Amino acid sequence: KDKKLIDFLAENPKLTPEEILDHSVTFAFAGHETTSTALTWLTWLLAKHPSVQAKLADELAEAFPRDAAPPSESLKGLEYLNAVMLESLRLRPPVVVFARVLSEDMLLPETKTFLPKGVDIILPIAALHRDPTVYGDDADVFRPERWIDEPGLRARAAPCSFIPFAVGKRACIGKDFAMQELLLGAAMFVRNFRFEWPEGQAEPVRTSGFMSRPKRPFTLRVSTRAS
């Protein structure tokens, strides 16, 4: 019999019932609302950058036929698909901040700033993802090629300059599942449909707060790809 996530959690003697419930809710949340939000921003970025969309469509057309779902294990091998997804998560992470509570006193590295145990720390994911010392002077630009053409980028971004799923022991438990969903969703969208941004439509503004949703609905012109 195939085991479910809840079965594996229940078999861990270190987890309390409350922790099992918390992990299960987190996993479900990470796999649904955040994924749909990330895909919403991705379609907007692709509609605004038709050359990126065309290049991705070409890669996908070579990888699998239209109307057919690609094998999930093959998605990680599609270089440009992964670069587009990373760049979309960098510029428009579905979660823009997260909080931590210090478990011990600490002095911030290379500063004289002292933080006492128990203080709340707010980490601004959106700001970290646009750090020009990591991503260059074009940190605000949607350019998926940076993840391919700059071999040292992933090392510079690790561990705390690219954290769409948070980082460390408290990172999102559903991050691998969510990433697989995102790659599959992006592949199916772009393999089968073309997205265009209607001329004259105002740029979407994200809501303030924990989640980065569009403040108001926006419209995309969607057409079926011929082949």
Side-chain angles (χ1 to χ4, degrees):
K1 180 182 177 181
D2 293 335
K3 288 187 176 181
K4 298 178 173 61
L5 171 68
I6 194 70
D7 297 321
F8 287 104
L9 293 174
E11 291 172 0
N12 189 332
K14 295 182 179 180
L15 294 176
T16 67
E18 290 76 14
E19 288 172 330
I20 291 174
L21 178 61
D22 288 343
H23 281 307
S24 299
V25 170
T26 298
F27 193 93
F29 175 72
H32 291 84
E33 186 174 9
T34 50
T35 304
S36 64
T37 300
L39 288 173
T40 297
W41 287 121
L42 172 67
T43 56
W44 167 66
L45 285 166
L46 291 176
K48 292 290 293 182
H49 298 84
S51 62
V52 171
Q53 185 178 171
K55 186 174 179 178
L56 176 58
D58 289 342
E59 180 185 64
L60 295 172
E62 293 181 4
F64 65 98
R66 194 165 70 85
D67 299 323
S72 58
E73 62 273 10
S74 69
L75 295 175
K76 289 186 178 180
L78 298 178
E79 184 178 56
Y80 201 64
L81 170 65
N82 281 266
V84 167
M85 199 69 255
L86 291 175
E87 187 72 344
S88 180
L89 288 172
R90 184 183 73 82
L91 284 178
R92 292 288 178 166
V95 176
V96 293
V97 297
F98 66 89
R100 292 291 184 265
V101 179
L102 286 187
S103 59
E104 58 185 40
D105 293 344
M106 73 172 295
L107 187 67
L108 290 183
E110 300 180 16
T111 76
K112 296 181 179 180
T113 303
F114 173 75
L115 300 176
K117 176 182 177 180
V119 73
D120 292 328
I121 302 294
I122 304 298
L123 297 173
I125 298 176
L128 293 171
H129 282 191
R130 294 173 184 246
D131 183 353
T133 66
V134 175
Y135 297 102
D137 293 337
D138 65 345
D140 291 329
V141 176
F142 180 65
R143 185 171 65 84
E145 288 77 10
R146 76 175 75 244
W147 296 97
I148 300 171
D149 300 338
E150 301 176 30
L153 176 58
R154 293 173 192 256
R156 292 200 307 275
C160 294
S161 291
F162 181 73
I163 48 174
F165 303 107
V167 65
K169 292 187 291 185
R170 304 291 182 181
C172 175
I173 191 176
K175 62 180 180 179
D176 292 337
F177 173 62
M179 193 64 185
Q180 193 72 5
E181 277 191 317
L182 289 171
L183 291 174
L184 179 59
M188 293 300 293
F189 279 0
V190 179
R191 181 68 185 93
N192 293 286
F193 303 103
R194 180 179 291 103
F195 300 94
E196 298 176 273
W197 186 251
E199 186 176 352
Q201 183 175 205
E203 296 295 320
V205 177
R206 73 171 183 85
T207 56
S208 60
F210 172 71
M211 290 287 294
S212 174
R213 305 181 187 89
K215 192 171 184 178
R216 296 180 181 84
F218 60 79
T219 300
L220 293 180
R221 189 177 296 114
V222 183
S223 57
T224 303
R225 292 191 181 276
S227 60

